[in-house]
Each structure stands twice: as C-alpha cells, then as structure tokens.
Amino acid sequence: MKQAIVVGAGLVGSLWAVFLARRGYAVKVFERRPEMRAVGYRGGRSINLAMSERGWKAAEMAGIREKMAHVALPMPGRMMHAVSGNLTYQPYGKTGEAIYSVSRGGLNLELLNIASQFPNVEFFFEHRCVDVDLNESFATFEDMKTGEIKRIEAPLVFGTDGAFSAVRYSLQRTDRFDYAQKYLDHGYKELNITPDEAGRHRMQPDALHIWPRGNHMLIALPNADGTFTCTLFLPFEGPVAFENIKTDADVMDFFREYYPDVPALMPDFVEQFRENPTSSLCTVRCRPWQWQGRILLLGDAAHAIVPFFGQGMNAGFEDCTILDAMYDEFGGDWSRMIPEFARRRQPDGDAIADLALRNFIEMRDLVADPKFLLRKKIAAALHEKHPEFLPVYSMVSFSNTPYRVALREDDAQNQLFAEILAIPGIEQNWDRPEVDALLQAYLSNRQA
Ligand SMILES: Cc1cc2nc3c(=O)[nH]c(=O)nc-3n(C[C@H](O)[C@H](O)[C@H](O)COP(=O)(O)OP(=O)(O)OC[C@H]3O[C@@H](n4cnc5c(N)ncnc54)[C@H](O)[C@@H]3O)c2cc1C
C-alpha cells in the first residue's frame, strides 16, 4: 500500500488525512498533543472560527458538511458597536450569504473521528516531530510519554504542524529557502460572554459583533451554547496598550472609556482580563513549500496569516481541495504534483496574507467611517444590479476566486471607489449614469 506521513493533527492535518485515506494511502498521523478525544480539546486559541465558502467546500468533500451545518451559526453581517452604544448592522453579502461561526474544537474532533473511521489511517498522539531527513526518506519523532526517539520511514511527508512547523524548520536549512516571519504590533486576548439566565445569547446571535476603536478593537462571535467568544486586539506597547493596563482599576477604566457596553454583558471582565493570556499574531511567508517532490507544507505551516479576514483555516482547507484535484490531473504522481502545487499555490498564500493585513485596517478603523459604510452600500447595490461585479469581501468569503485575483481586484476596486465617492452628491443618489460608466470601465479593464 502507498504510504504517507502527516505531521500535525490540527484542522488541516486531520482533514488532509481524510483526503489521503480516500485515495487509498496508508496514513500515519503524528500529533504532539495528547489524544484530543480522550482529554477534551485544548486548543489554547480562539474557540470559534469563521468558516466561509472555501471551508464549506472542503467540508463537503470530506463528507462532513451536513454535520457541520447543524452546529454552525450563520453570521450574515457585522454589527458595529459605537462608543455611544449605537448599533449599525451591515450585511456581508447578498441575502442568503453568510459566514459561519464554528467551534474550533468541535470541528477538529469531528475531522479526527472521520479520519479514524478509515482502517488505513493510524494516529500517533504525543509524538513530536523533531526532524525530517532531507537526504533519506525518514522523519524523527519524540514519544513524549516515554522520551523515546523514533525514526520512521517517510517517503511522502505532509507538514501540517502549524505556524511554528518543525517540518518547515527542516526545510529552512536548505539552500535558497526563503522564510520571513513578521509579528503584528498588536496582541490579542480572548474573553467570554456567558448566556443570560434563560440560556440565551446576550446579543443578536446572527452577526459578527465589532467594536472598532481605531488602533484597537473587540470582536465577538456567537457559539451554539449561547456564549460569545470575544477577542480584544490591542497594541502591546503605546499609550493605549496591554503594557499600560496593569491593575484591575486600569482594566475598568479602559473598558469604561472604550467599551462601555461590555461590562453589562460580561460582569467578570476584570477577572477574565487578568487571568486570560495575551497572545501574539504573526504572518509567515516562505518558499518553496516543498522539497524534492516528497515533502510538502500545507496550512499554517506554509502560510500563517493574521486572523482579520477569517481565512487562515479556510485557506488551509483550500490547500487540501486544490491538491486533491491535482491528484487526478497528475495521475497521482507526487514527484511532479508537489512542486507544481507549491509553485501554483504560493502566490495565493502571499495574497491572502496581504488581504488579511488590509482587513485589519478595515475592521478596526474603516467600519466606523461614514465614507466606508457608503462604499459598502454602493458596492452592494452595484453587485445586485450587475452580478458580474463582485466586491472583494464576497470574492474571498463567498467564492473560490484565487486569492491572488482577489488581491489584484482589491487594488482596482479601491481605485474605482475613490472615483465613485468623489462624485458630488453621491451620498444622496448613487443610481446614476456616471457610476455605471465608471463600473463599465472597471469591468472592461478587468476583462482586458
Ligand atoms: C485568534 C485567531 C482567530 C482565528 N480565526 C480564524 C477564523 O475566523 N477563520 C479562519 O479560517 N481561520 C482563523 N484563524 C486561523 C486558524 O486558526 C489557522 O489558520 C488554522 O488553525 C491552521 O490550521 P493548521 O492545521 O494548519 O495549523 P494548527 O491548527 O496550528 O494545527 C497544527 C497542529 O500541529 C501540531 N504540531 C505542532 N508542532 C508539531 C510537531 N513538532 N510535531 C507534531 N505535531 C505538531 C499542533 O499541536 C496542532 O495540532 C484564527 C487564528 C487565530 C490565532
């Protein structure tokens, strides 16, 4: 039987094991953490994630779409919370389109369950990859229970071991391997809103809630159990920053000034702020994602991005669907397929990294800007009237348009809307011939 090794049983690794099993591979999956189904999921990070079209497509191919649909909460729009308490709702796309809040742990466990149903998939938990041999087909693991070092035959290795990938670290030692990691000046802290006395959500559950405050912001995604997971994004250093919120009184002052509606939703916000860890955010770019057509990085190991477009997992899942489609195109010849996948897909990894950084500015800053809200309204109206015009958010979240195309379109649409918003009186009426003319010029440039 054909053999493959998957390093890391996170979201992407456990999904990719399912794809390999379906292709008839004997798959050995090595995971550093203990068996999650026995000890409960310890994600240590955001407990829910926004899943969009690319993620659903992969879920469909893995045969778990229906199961996920039962526990996924649709978020058809953003609810913006002003300091004054005013709420503004903005749909993400057309009627019927939504991004979905799914449980990170629930999804990971479901994927592990599905992969385990294949007799040709074997899991090795508490096995940490320490090295991948680049000259011989072997990978080395430490059995974390016994301390034993095991050398495993590994003709085909998929590194799905996340942003600080050990597989990638092995590749980093090769000649001409490019690697860059860039930390954001902002960190994040997760906070939790419990349900009300009747077990219901304390805010509208069918929205992603955002408190945009310029250089910092709070977001909240609903969970199926009536809770919300909130994430506060704040600079580490500076006048309004984690470094200056030291005492309980500082926490209270900070929330009273910037997030005055939060204490009523989260009475224990001070304790949570004190006790929950502050984590950092990093973008990782590297290339090539492969070595000699037999070692390949997928998911965060290849392209870790900041979370502001809600695309990290979606992009990793799309890696799997694209690679699986290439399996047919290349008749299962990994030695040709792996280098070609790495070559084709890497520009998309770079593009979604850029789009995610741009969306940070949009979320924390622009969503509160009247010009930006006007742009969103005009874009939605144009999309309704001319379906061939797809706003970039929709391209990324509701279509499978390659990320590199979406990035190019982002530049072109920024230019288009700079011109549209400069038309005198546009706030009152945007259904006018000048707007149509600008749109037609944009569409014909795009086709050219
Ligand atoms: C705050 C935050 C919010 C996010 N929100 C979203 C969102 O809304 N939507 C979205 O699509 N994405 C989101 N993401 C991104 C998403 O979490 C990642 O893109 C996704 O988890 C990547 O999956 P992965 O399997 O590649 O890596 P990981 O999930 O990191 O999994 C890697 C696995 O490898 C294991 N491992 C690591 N090292 C080793 C080793 N040496 N040996 C063996 N095993 C190892 C780890 O234990 C882990 O199980 C968010 C990320 C953050 C930080």
Side-chain angles (χ1 to χ4, degrees), residues 405-427:
V405 175
L407 179 64
R408 212 167 52 218
E409 291 300 307
D410 197 47
D411 290 331
Q413 290 186 14
N414 286 341
Q415 178 62 34
L416 169 69
F417 281 97
E419 290 171 31
I420 290 177
L421 293 174
I423 297 173
I426 189 73
E427 294 85 350

Side-chain angles (χ1 to χ4, degrees), residues 319-337:
D319 290 346
C320 300
T321 50
I322 290 179
L323 188 55
D324 186 67
M326 286 177 71
Y327 192 88
D328 295 322
E329 188 186 336
F330 286 80
D333 179 353
W334 293 107
S335 67
R336 289 192 303 124
M337 192 189 340

Side-chain angles (χ1 to χ4, degrees), residues 28-64:
K28 288 189 171 135
V29 187
F30 293 87
E31 166 59 48
R32 178 176 67 178
R33 282 185 280 180
E35 160 66 292
M36 300 161 210
R37 286 164 295 183
V39 299
Y41 181 80
R42 290 193 211 134
R45 292 197 304 198
S46 158
I47 65 158
N48 52 22
L49 295 153
M51 181 138 129
S52 49
E53 169 55 27
R54 296 165 211 260
W56 284 115
K57 186 175 172 188
E60 168 115 44
M61 287 173 78
I64 55 162

